[in-house]
Amino acid sequence: MSRLSAQELVEQALAASTADGCVAYVVESTEANLRWASNSLTTNGAMRSRQVVVVSFVDGGAGMATGTVARTGTPDVAELVAASEQAARDAGPAEDAVPLVSEAPAGAGDWDADPAETSIEVFTEFAPALGEAFGAARSRGDLLFGYAEHSLTTTYVGTSTGLRLRHDQPTGRVELNGKSTDFSRSVWAGVGTRDFRDVSVPDLAADVERKLGWAQRRVDLPAGRYETVLPPSAVSDLMLYAYWTMEARDADEGRNVFARAGGGNRIGDRLAQLPLTLRSDPHAPGLEAAPFQVVSASSGSASVFDNGMATPAVDWIRDGVLTNLVRPRAWALKTTAPAVAAVDNLVLEAPEATASLDDMVGATDRGLLLTTLWYIREVDPQTLLLTGLTRDGVFLVEGGEVTGAVNNFRWNESPVDLLGRISEAGRTERTLPREWNDWFTRAAMPPVRVPDFNMSSVSPAS
């Protein structure tokens, strides 16, 4: 018996449904990866997976309820649909109930085409270049560690309202750690990519080599507030946390940093003194993402009733002013505000900014240059105060030059408060979040200068 195609599984699920509404989708994924340690390739592999998801909508008289069940591989479709319908019957009425989406968004994709696939061949040019970097590091007495991953995911979505949608999502990343042979120095460089054709191993290796050179001199500094230059990767980790918090309902009900004192939300408030714009766009070059929603479970930022809803470009902050919050259709109806969907990419930019990270370092009299942030945790949702640690290189800048590496710190900052204190933003470039790249890789950020970044305590981490 031949393996059913993703499209056949979707159609069978919709045909088997006896519910008042149904969404079925199949996610076909392939992945290839390389891993290395101590200047040697250690593993390579390729994987394939399939997930089948059915969301059933059942009106039990008290209101519409939903049930979601997922299976891997090629499941018994009738059993899957029945389980989803039973889950809906067992659930209470959904507070986010609205009619299912019936209008197909632009960019619905080629429904009939086979799923896109990746393979180990995606590293054809990358792997030899990596080998050359190993040799150069070995000759310097440095060690390189890291990994490269590439996945291609095709999602097929069908609904009982007649939608048939398909999206291909390539996702790639490279993380390169450089260490001294005694492991006293550690630095990092990383990049996100769609297809590895734009990944320059020599550039990554040169970045690592330069940082290891900077770290040969060690300077101990106390905790305190320092003028700090944050590279795009560190900026992305902070802005992503702010983005994930941009739920209109939480703001309207006073539960997050975007709530206005006295009631309502802060849309229209100035958050940044500089004319910064934080935006998402599913068609942003190099950061392309799905132009419609695929939702398995409802939350404050997404609703299963919104499956297939278009996700057009949106400005979250425009010229420093909060402009939009994420708002599913049900909450939009309750608040007579526009429905706004999250998009799987994020861009921060300052108009006409041209300064590079090196330019900003060169303009620093005395301050710190960060590499990455990690172990980020939320302390206070009302202010979005976060805490975390610096990692893989904190460098002292004096007279426009890096003069050494300093100890790591624990830091305490709110990304929303930081927006108001950024004194300079450079040129936006594609970047890879360090902390969040298991979940989010499509970001473009500028380097920024903060005159008083709060290094709250010295960290013993090395």
Side-chain angles (χ1 to χ4, degrees):
M1 181 177 178
S2 61
R3 186 173 188 254
L4 292 174
S5 69
Q7 299 95 321
E8 288 172 327
L9 286 170
V10 170
E11 298 296 354
Q12 286 191 10
L14 294 174
S17 174
T18 61
D20 297 290
C22 183
V23 173
Y25 66 88
V26 176
V27 182
E28 299 273 17
S29 298
T30 52
E31 181 183 315
N33 61 73
L34 301 175
R35 295 181 182 272
W36 56 92
S38 300
N39 301 328
S40 296
L41 192 67
T42 56
T43 61
N44 65 81
M47 294 172 284
R48 179 185 300 272
S49 65
R50 166 187 277 180
Q51 184 182 47
V52 185
V53 180
V54 174
V55 186
S56 294
F57 303 84
V58 174
D59 188 347
M64 191 70 74
T66 72
T68 300
V69 177
R71 299 280 190 270
T72 58
T74 302
D76 181 325
V77 174
E79 183 276 330
L80 174 59
V81 171
S84 174
E85 293 179 354
Q86 186 60 50
R89 286 190 290 269
D90 292 341
E95 62 178 0
D96 58 332
V98 291
L100 297 183
V101 174
S102 58
E103 182 177 350
D110 184 353
W111 174 261
D112 295 324
D114 290 338
E117 296 185 355
T118 191
S119 71
I120 205 72
E121 301 301 318
V122 74
F123 303 123
T124 296
E125 296 181 5
F126 176 86
L130 185 64
E132 293 179 8
F134 290 160
R138 196 176 297 114
S139 67
R140 296 192 307 269
D142 297 335
L143 300 174
L144 297 181
F145 298 77
Y147 59 90
E149 295 178 346
H150 187 254
S151 65
L152 241 175
T153 299
T154 298
T155 304
Y156 296 88
V157 182
T159 73
S160 54
T161 58
L163 297 185
R164 298 295 185 273
L165 311 175
R166 175 251 180 85
H167 177 69
D168 299 327
Q169 185 64 68
T171 302
R173 57 175 172 162
V174 181
E175 295 203 49
L176 184 65
N177 272 102
K179 300 182 185 296
S180 59
T181 52
D182 63 358
F183 294 95
S184 64
R185 292 173 287 141
S186 179
V187 301
W188 179 91
V191 66
T193 180
R194 285 173 61 85
D195 54 20
F196 275 80
R197 288 181 293 184
D198 56 351
V199 174
S200 171
V201 174
D203 286 352
L204 289 170
D207 189 21
V208 164
E209 180 183 359
R210 180 170 73 155
K211 290 172 181 172
L212 283 172
W214 288 343
Q216 287 180 344
R217 176 175 180 255
R218 169 67 183 254
V219 180
D220 289 328
L221 290 180
R225 290 187 176 270
Y226 290 91
E227 179 174 322
T228 303
V229 177
L230 287 79
S233 176
V235 176
S236 69
D237 279 319
L238 292 170
M239 292 301 108
L240 276 171
Y241 210 106
Y243 180 39
W244 288 335
T245 309
M246 286 181 163
E247 296 184 5
R249 181 171 184 174
D250 278 355
D252 294 340
E253 297 181 342
R255 293 195 300 271
N256 69 23
V257 69
F258 301 106
R260 176 172 284 141
N265 61 57
R266 296 175 64 187
I267 288 178
D269 286 6
R270 176 165 294 280
L271 301 183
Q273 296 305 306
L274 296 181
L276 300 174
T277 293
L278 185 70
R279 62 183 181 86
S280 297
D281 181 354
H283 305 294
L287 305 173
E288 292 88 347
F292 54 85
Q293 287 203 301
V294 182
V295 185
S296 61
S298 293
S299 66
S301 61
S303 167
V304 291
F305 291 89
D306 292 350
N307 271 293
M309 173 181 163
T311 57
V314 56
D315 289 348
W316 307 108
I317 298 170
R318 184 184 304 127
D319 296 331
V321 176
L322 182 64
T323 309
N324 279 298
L325 295 170
V326 178
R327 189 179 295 107
R329 289 185 302 145
W331 191 248
L333 287 170
K334 290 180 181 179
T335 57
T336 63
V340 182
V343 179
D344 194 26
N345 63 30
L346 192 65
V347 178
L348 179 69
E349 54 196 4
E352 302 180 3
T354 60
S356 67
L357 179 63
D358 286 349
D359 292 336
M360 292 176 64
V361 169
T364 302
D365 182 46
R366 191 173 193 277
L368 299 179
L369 169 64
L370 300 187
T371 300
T372 60
L373 307 174
W374 75 298
Y375 207 67
I376 299 173
R377 298 294 184 268
E378 186 175 307
V379 177
D380 179 9
Q382 295 295 329
T383 62
L384 201 60
L385 178 65
L386 306 178
T387 189
L389 301 173
T390 60
R391 185 178 189 183
D392 286 328
V394 182
F395 301 103
L396 178 63
V397 181
E398 297 176 295
E401 295 184 354
V402 175
T403 59
V406 307
N407 44 272
N408 280 304
F409 295 97
R410 173 167 292 282
W411 53 269
N412 290 296
E413 285 286 2
S414 162
V416 176
D417 186 59
L418 273 181
L419 281 169
R421 290 161 37 222
I422 291 172
S423 59
E424 181 185 4
R427 181 179 64 241
T428 292
E429 61 185 57
R430 285 166 50 196
T431 191
L432 180 70
R434 174 70 183 277
E435 176 81 330
W436 309 123
N437 66 43
D438 281 344
W439 303 276
F440 203 106
T441 63
R442 286 171 278 279
M445 299 280 149
V448 305
R449 185 187 307 279
V450 178
D452 55 353
F453 196 91
N454 183 20
M455 301 298 185
S456 57
S457 63
V458 172
S459 168
S462 60

